Amino acid sequence: MLDKEQVEEIIFKALNSLNDERGSEDQISVDENTCLFGPEAALDSLSLVSLIVDVEGAVSEVSKKEVSLTDDHAMSQEISPFFSVTTLTKYILFRLAE
């Protein structure tokens, strides 16, 4: 099973990939406090979808366990799993432990 650092590394890699497609003035901060969703979000909706797809694929490949991050369980959380890198990391670890 993946640990916290491995999951964060997957998310950071996906954020860096998004940064590779952006101009120098539109770079996203890549750390555990990066806000992904909400009023202070670093990402627009299209970038968030791209990030989720990349992260789902990488987590599934590395863990050898199919992980869906956009199912009803994710959408029913009181705090969105997509709020920040930290909340997304915690949610992925939770789903992997199921």
Side-chain angles (χ1 to χ4, degrees):
M1 185 157 92
L2 299 175
D3 64 20
K4 178 182 179 277
E5 289 76 26
Q6 291 170 308
V7 172
E8 281 182 344
E9 184 60 35
I10 288 170
I11 297 169
F12 292 162
K13 186 180 272 188
L15 286 170
N16 284 323
S17 178
L18 286 174
N19 275 337
D20 290 345
E21 299 170 6
R22 293 168 163 251
S24 59
E25 68 283 347
D26 292 327
Q27 294 292 295
I28 302 164
S29 168
V30 179
D31 62 54
E32 62 187 20
N33 298 315
T34 300
C35 184
L36 305 173
F37 178 75
E40 303 297 318
L43 306 176
D44 59 23
S45 58
L46 186 58
S47 295
L48 180 61
V49 170
S50 178
L51 176 79
I52 292 167
V53 168
D54 289 350
V55 169
E56 276 181 342
V59 167
S60 295
E61 182 178 321
V62 172
S63 70
K64 306 296 186 225
K65 180 178 181 182
E66 199 65 33
V67 176
S68 176
L69 301 177
T70 56
D71 59 9
D72 290 339
H73 189 267
M75 299 307 149
S76 67
Q77 299 297 300
E78 188 170 322
I79 296 175
S80 171
F82 310 112
F83 179 73
S84 68
V85 170
T86 297
T87 58
L88 183 54
T89 300
K90 288 179 183 177
Y91 186 70
I92 291 168
L93 291 170
F94 167 76
R95 292 308 302 257
L96 288 172
E98 289 184 312

